Amino acid sequence: MSASRVNARVRALRPSETLALSARARELRARGEKVVSFAAGEPDFETPASIQNAAIEAIRGGHHRYTEVAGTLALRTAIAEKLRRDSGVTYGPKEIVVGNGAKHAIWNALFTVLEPGDEVLCPVPYWVSFPEMVRLAGGMPVAVPPAPGRYKITVEDVERVRTPRTRLLILNSPNNPSGMVYTRDEVAALVELARRHDLLILSDEIYEKLIYGDARHTSPASLGEEARSRTIVINGVSKTWAMTGWRIGYAANTKLAPVFTRWVTNTDSCAPHPNQWAVVTALNADQGPSDHMRDVFLTRRDHIVAGLNRIPGFRCQTPGGAFYVWPNVTDACKRVGAGSSEELRKRLLHDAGVAVLADVHFGTPVEGEGQHIRFSYASSLPAIDEGLSRIAEFMKKNTR
Ligand code: GLU
């Protein structure tokens, strides 16, 4: 046996399909292939200048050392203020822990609360890394399929799969990959269910600001003291302020924050110091640049939904948030003789030079719902047009 053998838990770990496909699209481009990529869930904007300047000032001003383990007091105070302002929920700085991105905060939360074999409810479709992290933390991911075509779970859907081992419900609204947004009543019903069965809720709110039209974000933590105590709020700055590479996220929960801090003392020491100062500016300064990005995403959403619905075989609902669309491609698969959404995805990449993700990456497709693929529309309007016209051409050439 080799000394560098990998343990069984990690052998079972799959790479993040979203990051893997984005890397593949970049590789193909580097080789000179003209790939239009809808793969990465990553804003294509630069971080606003005021935020960049804050980081430069922090570096020049000597902010080079470790910060408090949970994050600077200035940042945790700004996050507390943001949570009060945007979600109507009150936390003090001591109840918030800053981490290296929201992913890190999710990891700390799952690793802290799960006992071996604890079941974690993952509403389908779900973000690729949830089940992987749950398994690594010793838990068992349990898919919760909604009614076909609804893309959101109800209390009844949970009751069908819940067992006495169920410990935690993951709620991600606006959702990656469907873009669907849970209404306040829908969140309240799930909170009530969590209360009845003594479940924790991990609320991944990373797309909370990317929300359009009548849709409104409701944090489960905002629905009363009891809801707040059983919710772990997870958020970060990557999507709202185009800061994916800065790696700043956070978790909020009164009882668990000190435990997350104990984690960070041993694993990370703190999140990058200058970046924390930049995020104070992101949270406190004029929100014009991030509002502008949201408005641009909205224009792109309408554009891509209309464009996809013009392609024979594609049926696309208009999602209320995030920067993903999730068209039903059952008919498209039939037309071109693709046996699955994954086969269609591969053919779109290789024959049309368009990178998207297939539903199989986001949980077993819901029975009776047909097949879907995910587009991230975090790319320019001309790129969206180019991608759509390549897909239309591909469909025309390959329809049997
Ligand atoms: N969350 C984004 C996505 O789904 C970024 C990559 C990742 O963290 O998975 O594409």
Side-chain angles (χ1 to χ4, degrees):
M1 208 182 271
S2 134
S4 55
R5 67 187 176 275
V6 171
N7 69 43
R9 276 191 324 281
V10 178
R11 278 203 304 275
L13 177 68
R14 285 179 301 194
S16 156
E17 205 60 53
T18 53
L19 296 183
L21 193 70
S22 307
R24 176 91 186 110
R26 269 201 302 275
E27 231 171 73
L28 290 171
R29 277 183 183 150
R31 288 207 323 236
E33 294 187 29
K34 293 200 165 47
V35 175
V36 180
S37 181
F38 296 106
E42 170 167 48
D44 54 324
F45 298 99
E46 293 209 339
T47 303
S50 56
I51 302 174
Q52 295 183 29
N53 290 336
I56 293 164
E57 275 165 32
I59 292 168
R60 297 250 186 264
H63 294 287
H64 304 162
R65 301 189 174 195
Y66 294 136
T67 65
E68 292 93 315
V69 170
T72 63
L73 182 61
L75 177 53
R76 285 178 290 125
T77 304
I79 293 168
E81 175 52 25
K82 179 244 172 293
L83 288 168
R84 193 196 54 71
R85 190 172 62 223
D86 294 340
S87 307
V89 52
T90 309
Y91 289 100
K94 285 203 175 115
E95 297 164 307
I96 294 164
V97 180
V98 176
N100 291 284
K103 260 177 166 164
H104 182 210
I106 294 170
W107 170 249
N108 283 345
L110 293 174
F111 219 87
T112 298
V113 301
L114 294 182
E115 296 287 358
D118 277 355
E119 293 173 0
V120 175
L121 301 170
C122 304
V124 183
Y126 48 74
W127 174 55
V128 292
S129 294
F130 285 137
E132 298 305 317
M133 287 205 247
V134 168
R135 267 190 290 266
L136 263 189
M140 278 266 299
V142 174
V144 189
R150 191 168 186 277
Y151 306 116
K152 291 192 276 186
I153 57 153
T154 60
V155 169
E156 294 69 42
D157 299 324
V158 173
E159 292 293 11
R160 265 192 291 278
V161 295
R162 193 189 58 78
T163 76
R165 291 305 311 262
T166 306
R167 180 77 208 286
L168 184 144
L169 166 69
I170 294 180
L171 200 63
N172 168 219
S173 172
N175 175 265
N176 175 9
S178 72
M180 291 296 152
V181 180
Y182 283 74
T183 64
R184 189 184 168 86
D185 286 350
E186 289 164 345
V187 175
L190 292 169
V191 163
E192 171 50 25
L193 168 115
R195 190 197 58 74
R196 250 191 344 265
H197 299 301
D198 194 21
L199 307 179
L200 267 171
I201 300 176
L202 184 139
S203 180
D204 175 354
E205 308 185 355
I206 192 77
Y207 298 101
E208 141 245 17
K209 290 289 212 176
L210 297 174
I211 203 153
Y212 317 111
D214 296 337
R216 294 284 172 272
H217 170 70
T218 305
S219 173
S222 68
L223 301 179
E225 194 42 42
E226 134 74 28
R228 178 181 168 285
S229 68
R230 63 175 67 253
T231 301
I232 306 169
V233 171
I234 303 283
N235 209 331
V237 296
S238 295
K239 317 290 183 181
T240 305
W241 291 277
M243 295 181 75
T244 47
W246 298 68
R247 307 314 300 137
I248 299 286
Y250 54 89
N253 180 279
T254 307
K255 219 170 119 201
L256 296 172
V259 190
F260 301 157
T261 307
R262 196 156 13 115
W263 263 108
V264 181
T265 57
N266 285 298
T267 55
D268 301 274
S269 305
C270 65
H273 191 164
N275 299 15
Q276 292 192 46
W277 284 104
V279 172
V280 172
T281 296
L283 295 172
N284 286 344
D286 166 34
Q287 297 300 303
S290 73
D291 291 346
H292 169 72
M293 291 189 267
R294 196 223 20 242
D295 293 347
V296 173
F297 284 132
L298 171 60
T299 309
R300 293 173 180 177
R301 179 200 68 171
D302 292 342
H303 195 73
I304 196 166
V305 168
L308 284 169
N309 282 324
R310 278 195 292 272
I311 302 176
F314 283 68
R315 266 190 303 120
C316 190
Q317 288 195 18
T318 303
F323 38 54
Y324 305 111
V325 285
W326 183 242
N328 185 314
V329 292
T330 316
D331 189 32
C333 288
K334 276 195 198 119
R335 284 171 188 248
V336 300
S340 66
S341 55
E342 176 61 0
E343 187 185 328
L344 180 69
R345 175 194 80 73
K346 285 188 182 147
R347 285 174 63 189
L348 285 175
L349 182 61
H350 296 294
D351 303 347
V354 175
V356 294
L357 281 135
D359 51 13
V360 288
H361 303 133
F362 302 94
T364 303
V366 175
E367 221 180 295
E369 193 177 66
Q371 284 144 339
H372 294 75
I373 53 179
R374 185 190 89 168
F375 288 72
S376 157
Y377 55 84
S379 47
S380 70
L381 285 178
I384 291 173
D385 280 337
E386 172 64 23
L388 291 176
S389 80
R390 287 186 191 194
I391 296 173
E393 193 51 41
F394 167 87
M395 291 302 298
K396 212 149 112 201
K397 240 175 48 206
N398 291 283
T399 294
R400 295 173 174 180

